[in-house]
Amino acid sequence: MKRAFVCILGLFVSAVTFAQRQYPFQNPALDDEKRIDNVIAQLTIDEKINCLSTSFSIPRLGIRGSGNSEGLHGLSQGGPGFNNGPKTPTTQFPQAIGLAQTWDEALVKRVAAQQAYEARYIYQSPKYYRAGLVVWGPNADMGRDPRWGRTEECYGEDPFLTSRLVTAFVQGMQGDNPRYWMAASLMKHFLSNSNENGRTFTSSDYDETLFREYYSYPFYKGVTRGGSRAFMAAYNSYNGIPCAVNPVLKNITIREWGQNGIIATDGGAFKMLVTDHHYYKTLQEAAAGCIHAGINMFLDDYKEAVRGALRQHLLSENDLDSVIRGRFRVLIRLGLLDDHSPYSSIGVKDTIAPWTKADTKALVRKVTSESVVLLKNEQELLPLDKQRIRSIALIGPYADKVLQDWYGGEHSYQVSILQGLKNALGNQVKITFVKSNKIDSAVIAARNSDVAIVCIGNHPTGNAGWEQAPVASDGKEAVDRSALTLEQEDLAKVVFQSNPKTILLLTSSFPFAINWSQEHLPAILQVTHGSQEMGNGVADVLFGDVNPAGRLVHTWPKSIEDLPAMMDYDIRHGRTYMYSQKTPLYPFGFGLSYTTFSYSNLRLSKQSVGNNDRLTVSLDITNTGKRDGDEVVQIYVKGSDGVRRLKGFKRVNMTSGKTKTVSIELNGEDLMRWSSESGQFILPKENPEIEAGASSADIRLRGFIQIE
């Protein structure tokens, strides 16, 4: 088997070497579009049809295709219905929602760059020579409702924060080289795919203002600011037209934004145009509709339908030529049509697998600890003092394992919370671990320990098969949550009865209505699933080696009754921190620290701002506590409509007792609002209020600017 693979690889390399001597499209000095003209002119009709697949190669022309990999929070060659051959262990970070909770653009960029490097390594290393350089991530969908089953994949409910993190991820994935990409970032799922139940036939309906300012905004910035040239169309319809054939693909993303690369269907979405949406009567019509709309990558068995559409004159060969150009634009940026890419030596000259390196493991540990959110800390129970504590009861079903979701990859190793505590404490502290309260084991362990840590939350796959989630508050792809209350919270109640020093360690992919815990327990920490360094990252926070500064990226409601109907996509009807009139359990942007901060002296670099202007908001922050720590400064703009919108943020490291001037730049483009009258983004003629604080509910300083 190995010998056969080497022979095939050798033949492919020989074909590449021969092809390099004869085709103009392999000349990087030639204009890109002329290179594409040349390569398309060489193709047969069957090869053109094959160029619409997820991964294509043309050995006779020396072209090896890019292939695809999942990459939301760690490279994966798998996923539901996604089979790319043998899986390779890779570096696994916290779930995307956890990455967002760092509020750290530079760190998210590093995470994406690590994944891109590993994609190159696996793609080019003779040991592996598989997977793909088109990486499916980030998820740029808006998390408008915490019941959405794929909440863990997104960056939260705010369009500005999401757009900045999406942009950082895309830039990290594609790299800083002006000509070539390390990997191509394919954003998911355009557009407004934030309900799982019925997603293959339901429609997400709202007006153009919400389209521009909310649902499409992260995609828009991912293309225009981040440089992504790939995204996946969603299963659902938008205003009655399935996303895979919706006119916005061409009219807006291509013609307005300049998206000229890959536009993919989702898995099975092509056939669902007939079977679920009933938008077309035949697959031939559906294939023609997709290609006319701009689709150039099918995640379906599409070839016979395309051939049938050609025979029926629903498509022409010129139509194929037009759409597959985008596929070759991506190959050019990946350096797969020439040998001038600065990334071509990855996996060839460097023989040490990147996921085994010490600095890689340190990066994951840092990301994990930065993602942890401190939700409550009465009487400074946390951090725990390693020198004074003698025994810990660690209780709960998720304390001894690291769970992965549908799109997580293979761990090369994993550190559970139990192992993380052992690593931090050694033999100095007795750790008693029990999974549940069977035969009063949790009660006994808690009673006989100095401190009890209850580790509960959701199971990221529901611990069940496709479209199954037996626990109502669990959710995942294809299953929305039907409850926000946490059934396992009862375990915390019985433990607390036995030991008042009970810490809730919530391992969760979603917001939960943990009202009892917030009222009664002295300390609550939240961390997401998936990280190979989960245990070490959590232990760093528990014992004060890291001062927590994670911040929530969703409003956590007190009750499911506080949410509008699931299929109401008009967020102005009471969704998100911008429009909800309900008092939340925890507000958007919330998170505590082991130290305290004071704000003063807000000032603006100018008193008015125009379309192309930049405005610097500066303020002084003092760490008034006894510990060094990070603060996340959040800048909101409150317009004449009374709605507060995040427009700037910065994570800042602060030394105890010191004052630092923090400056955050706002630009006119980010302050623009959509005008339905003019059909464009404009600066509204108003005097908005600038607010600086630590969350959407904790505004400490205010100032005013005038918009010219």
Side-chain angles (χ1 to χ4, degrees):
M1 191 74 151
K2 184 176 180 181
R3 185 178 300 169
F5 171 75
V6 171
C7 291
I8 293 170
L9 177 59
L11 290 172
F12 188 90
V13 171
S14 298
V16 172
T17 303
F18 175 75
Q20 283 174 342
R21 303 190 185 113
Q22 54 182 330
Y23 296 112
F25 70 78
Q26 292 158 328
N27 179 8
L30 194 64
D31 176 78
D32 285 354
E33 295 305 308
K34 291 182 179 179
R35 295 174 72 184
I36 295 171
D37 288 339
N38 177 256
V39 70
I40 290 178
Q42 317 293 327
L43 302 179
T44 67
I45 187 68
D46 283 341
E47 287 172 333
K48 291 177 180 180
I49 293 172
N50 192 44
C51 286
L52 299 169
S53 64
T54 55
S55 179
F56 66 89
S57 294
I58 311 170
R60 70 179 185 86
L61 298 180
I63 297 174
R64 180 189 175 197
S66 61
N68 299 266
S69 299
E70 296 283 0
L72 292 178
H73 60 99
L75 201 67
S76 169
Q77 300 95 59
F82 191 101
N83 186 1
N84 222 11
K87 295 183 176 67
T88 305
T90 52
T91 304
Q92 297 300 305
F93 295 91
Q95 290 176 306
I97 200 72
L99 299 180
Q101 287 177 179
T102 67
W103 289 64
D104 191 331
E105 293 172 86
L107 196 60
V108 169
K109 185 175 181 179
R110 289 179 63 190
V111 168
Q114 179 68 32
Q115 292 183 207
Y117 191 95
E118 293 185 10
R120 275 280 175 179
Y121 189 93
I122 297 170
Y123 181 80
Q124 295 176 169
S125 168
K127 180 178 179 180
Y128 302 104
Y129 208 70
R130 59 174 179 263
L133 298 182
V134 177
V135 179
W136 296 0
N139 187 327
D141 288 314
M142 295 306 308
R144 65 181 179 105
D145 193 302
R147 291 169 294 188
W148 179 34
R150 298 179 82 167
T151 294
E152 83 277 357
E153 296 185 25
C154 78
Y155 292 150
E157 69 181 30
D158 180 79
F160 178 81
L161 176 65
T162 298
S163 74
R164 296 301 291 261
L165 297 180
V166 163
T167 297
F169 191 98
V170 171
Q171 291 174 340
M173 183 67 64
Q174 298 187 169
D176 298 325
N177 187 279
R179 174 63 176 162
Y180 293 100
W181 293 336
M182 186 153 46
S185 175
L186 184 146
M187 300 180 292
K188 305 193 296 186
H189 312 83
F190 189 84
L191 180 71
S192 53
N193 177 187
S194 63
N195 66 280
E196 294 304 294
N197 299 340
R199 62 182 178 161
T200 62
F201 59 84
T202 56
S203 181
S204 306
D205 301 336
Y206 46 87
D207 61 23
E208 189 172 11
T209 297
L210 288 179
F211 172 88
R212 298 284 187 169
E213 294 186 357
Y214 192 72
Y215 290 107
S216 77
Y217 191 77
F219 291 93
Y220 167 56
K221 291 298 182 181
V223 172
T224 60
R225 184 176 289 179
S228 171
R229 290 297 181 267
F231 68 77
M232 182 182 294
Y235 284 119
N236 54 282
S237 290
Y238 159 55
N239 286 354
I241 303 176
C243 288
V245 294
N246 200 294
V248 298
L249 297 182
K250 268 192 174 177
N251 294 342
I252 295 177
T253 72
I254 294 176
R255 291 169 183 161
E256 288 189 23
W257 302 351
Q259 210 296 55
N260 62 357
I262 295 172
I263 302 180
T265 68
D266 206 337
F270 156 58
K271 292 181 180 178
M272 291 170 188
L273 293 170
V274 176
T275 60
D276 291 46
H277 286 290
H278 304 292
Y279 199 74
Y280 298 102
K281 291 183 179 179
T282 69
L283 290 176
Q284 292 78 20
E285 293 173 315
C290 286
I291 291 170
H292 285 308
I295 294 292
N296 58 12
M297 188 164 87
F298 287 87
L299 275 63
D300 275 277
D301 182 7
Y302 67 93
K303 293 181 180 178
E304 285 307 311
V306 170
R307 292 190 181 97
L310 289 167
R311 288 193 298 269
Q312 296 174 32
H313 304 293
L314 301 172
L315 283 175
S316 69
E317 189 170 352
N318 286 339
D319 293 328
L320 298 184
D321 293 349
S322 178
V323 294
I324 65 174
R325 297 185 74 86
R327 302 299 302 275
F328 288 104
R329 291 188 187 104
V330 171
L331 291 187
I332 287 173
R333 296 303 301 270
L334 290 171
L336 299 184
L337 297 190
D338 57 65
D339 58 358
H340 287 68
S341 167
Y343 306 114
S344 59
S345 64
I346 296 174
V348 179
K349 293 183 178 180
D350 51 341
T351 59
I352 300 176
W355 49 88
T356 66
K357 296 180 179 179
D359 57 350
T360 302
K361 298 173 184 179
L363 173 62
V364 184
R365 185 168 182 165
K366 175 179 174 61
V367 174
T368 305
S369 62
E370 279 205 19
S371 74
V372 175
V373 183
L374 178 62
L375 296 174
K376 186 179 180 182
N377 193 25
E378 281 188 350
Q379 299 178 354
E380 298 185 349
L381 176 58
L382 291 172
L384 299 175
D385 189 337
K386 296 179 185 178
Q387 305 306 316
R388 299 180 63 182
I389 198 167
R390 290 293 174 262
S391 57
I392 294 176
L394 181 62
I395 300 164
Y398 305 137
D400 65 335
K401 60 187 64 135
V402 177
L403 298 176
Q404 196 57 284
D405 55 36
W406 284 125
Y407 290 105
E410 298 291 307
H411 289 101
S412 58
Y413 71 94
Q414 51 184 246
V415 181
S416 68
I417 292 168
L418 174 59
Q419 186 59 52
L421 265 61
K422 290 180 178 179
N423 293 343
L425 299 173
N427 297 321
Q428 301 176 22
V429 178
K430 178 184 178 182
I431 301 173
T432 303
F433 167 61
V434 294
K435 283 184 175 289
S436 67
N437 195 37
K438 290 181 179 178
I439 58 173
D440 294 330
S441 56
V443 169
I444 295 169
R447 183 183 300 142
N448 295 320
S449 301
D450 294 338
V451 174
I453 301 174
V454 179
C455 186
I456 54 178
N458 72 292
H459 194 292
T461 67
N463 200 25
W466 185 249
E467 293 187 327
Q468 298 176 31
V471 178
S473 60
D474 279 353
K476 60 184 181 183
E477 181 171 2
V479 183
D480 286 320
R481 306 167 71 203
S482 56
L484 299 183
T485 53
L486 181 59
E487 184 182 60
Q488 296 170 7
E489 198 173 19
D490 282 348
L491 181 58
K493 294 177 182 179
V494 297
V495 170
F496 180 66
Q497 284 182 323
S498 299
N499 191 330
K501 292 185 177 181
T502 294
I503 300 163
L504 173 58
L505 180 52
L506 185 63
T507 53
S508 73
S509 311
F510 316 98
F512 278 95
I514 50 171
N515 297 291
W516 183 90
S517 294
Q518 173 59 27
E519 182 179 354
H520 295 92
L521 298 183
I524 304 173
L525 287 167
Q526 188 267 341
V527 66
T528 60
H529 292 286
S531 169
Q532 64 192 35
E533 286 281 343
M534 174 184 277
N536 288 332
V538 167
D540 287 341
V541 173
L542 280 171
F543 300 109
D545 296 314
V546 171
N547 192 339
R551 300 292 185 262
L552 298 179
V553 295
H554 282 95
T555 301
W556 285 39
K558 289 184 175 181
S559 171
I560 200 169
E561 297 173 329
D562 294 343
L563 299 173
M566 185 66 177
M567 290 307 298
D568 184 353
Y569 270 78
D570 189 337
I571 64 169
R572 291 166 296 207
H573 295 163
R575 288 194 194 283
T576 77
Y577 74 94
M578 293 182 283
Y579 296 102
S580 177
Q581 300 299 311
K582 305 291 185 179
T583 301
L585 179 62
Y586 307 115
F588 172 84
F590 178 76
L592 302 175
S593 171
Y594 293 154
T595 189
T596 54
F597 305 95
S598 67
Y599 286 44
S600 63
N601 196 21
L602 176 73
R603 58 236 187 239
L604 308 176
S605 62
K606 57 180 68 176
Q607 296 305 309
S608 61
V609 61
N611 286 359
N612 299 315
D613 287 348
R614 295 182 181 274
L615 168 72
T616 300
V617 180
S618 299
L619 63 153
D620 297 332
I621 301 180
T622 302
N623 183 339
T624 55
K626 298 178 181 179
R627 292 177 177 269
D628 297 348
D630 289 0
E631 169 68 319
V632 178
V633 183
Q634 301 168 38
I635 304 296
Y636 295 84
V637 174
K638 187 176 181 180
S640 58
D641 59 1
V643 177
R644 179 182 292 132
R645 297 175 176 88
L646 181 73
K647 291 299 177 182
F649 62 92
K650 181 179 285 188
R651 183 165 178 149
V652 186
N653 184 258
M654 299 288 299
T655 302
S656 173
K658 300 294 184 180
T659 298
K660 179 181 290 187
T661 296
V662 177
S663 297
I664 298 176
E665 188 176 78
L666 312 184
N667 61 64
E669 180 184 354
D670 290 331
L671 298 177
M672 289 182 174
R673 300 289 311 283
W674 180 255
S675 169
S676 56
E677 295 180 359
S678 63
Q680 59 184 341
F681 280 103
I682 65 170
L683 276 171
K685 300 298 183 182
E686 60 182 11
N687 298 327
E689 191 172 20
I690 302 292
E691 302 178 331
S695 78
S696 63
D698 182 21
I699 302 302
R700 304 183 184 183
L701 300 175
R702 289 177 169 84
F704 291 90
I705 58 170
Q706 179 179 348
I707 292 181
E708 298 177 335

